[in-house]
Amino acid sequence: YNSRSPAPVLRYSKTMAAPAIFYTLIYPLEIKKKDEIKASFSNAKLRGRIIEPERAGFIEARLSTGSDYYLVSHDSVCEKEYGPFIFNGKQAFIRCNHDSTFRKIILIGGNFLIYNGKKIIESKGTIENIEIEFSAQGKINIFTSTELEKLKIGTAVNKSTVTSGNRINELVVE
């Protein structure tokens, strides 16, 4: 309060044909805390072939607490590979600890998410918007904007620790 600090500034320029797409990460961090963020952009793949970055891609941000993944598809919704993930929706945010355990998953569109060959989330219908939080105690909280007929979660968790409200008709934990 009542003090200002200069914000770090990054400038980038390149001459290219329009349209230009910029993938931007903004992390709110305390000024005194020197948490280093290492971010990298990678192209998505469709049937093993690299997709142009204006169509789909992902950013991995490595922090002291783990990794965040941002998966984005700007074109038709179909199964695409994003590094260790396969997803068929428009956007996803995945937060993992260093041991690859999940802390948070947000999906917009699609009906499944695969991580290293294992189905983590699968829905009978299209997921409009869902947020899943995994606590250190093994509890899962699920928030969804629309009703889902059936949702499968394929991660090690006790089904009695899942809180999903009444918007999921059938919840399967494998």
Side-chain angles (χ1 to χ4, degrees), residues 32-99:
K32 296 173 188 149
K33 187 176 178 185
K34 298 292 182 190
D35 194 3
E36 188 175 307
I37 299 173
K38 294 181 181 176
S40 60
F41 173 83
S42 297
N43 291 55
K45 293 181 180 180
L46 178 64
R47 293 182 210 95
R49 296 177 58 196
I50 293 175
I51 301 171
E52 299 84 13
E54 61 270 11
R55 291 182 53 210
F58 72 99
I59 296 173
E60 178 184 2
R62 289 179 295 284
L63 300 103
S64 62
T65 55
S67 293
D68 290 350
Y69 297 88
Y70 300 87
L71 288 49
V72 179
S73 176
H74 297 287
D75 63 4
S76 64
V77 177
C78 60
E79 182 177 308
K80 295 181 183 81
E81 300 170 42
Y82 301 87
F85 298 97
I86 298 175
F87 177 54
N88 67 341
K90 284 290 198 185
Q91 294 180 25
F93 168 78
I94 300 108
R95 176 166 283 165
C96 299
N97 293 321
H98 288 295
D99 64 359

Side-chain angles (χ1 to χ4, degrees), residues 56-174:
F58 72 99
I59 296 173
E60 178 184 2
R62 289 179 295 284
L63 300 103
S64 62
T65 55
S67 293
D68 290 350
Y69 297 88
Y70 300 87
L71 288 49
V72 179
S73 176
H74 297 287
D75 63 4
S76 64
V77 177
C78 60
E79 182 177 308
K80 295 181 183 81
E81 300 170 42
Y82 301 87
F85 298 97
I86 298 175
F87 177 54
N88 67 341
K90 284 290 198 185
Q91 294 180 25
F93 168 78
I94 300 108
R95 176 166 283 165
C96 299
N97 293 321
H98 288 295
D99 64 359
S100 296
T101 56
F102 296 105
R103 291 174 40 210
K104 181 179 271 195
I105 296 174
I106 299 172
L107 303 179
I108 300 173
N111 66 346
F112 70 84
L113 175 71
I114 297 172
Y115 177 66
N116 285 334
K118 182 179 181 197
K119 244 180 207 170
I120 301 301
I121 297 170
E122 182 179 19
S123 173
K124 191 169 183 179
T126 301
I127 297 170
E128 294 298 326
N129 186 345
I130 194 167
E131 180 176 342
I132 304 172
E133 292 180 345
F134 302 83
S135 76
Q137 297 79 26
K139 294 184 178 181
I140 297 179
N141 291 317
I142 303 172
F143 309 94
T144 179
S145 60
T146 56
E147 189 172 311
L148 295 173
E149 186 177 329
K150 184 176 184 178
L151 181 70
K152 285 185 187 177
I153 299 178
T155 183
V157 67
N158 182 340
K159 188 172 181 178
S160 65
T161 63
V162 178
T163 306
S164 63
N166 60 1
R167 291 187 160 265
I168 301 171
N169 295 329
E170 182 182 354
L171 179 65
V172 178
V173 179
E174 298 176 334

Side-chain angles (χ1 to χ4, degrees), residues 1-5 31:
Y1 293 87
N2 294 329
S3 68
R4 294 180 186 211
S5 300
I31 294 171

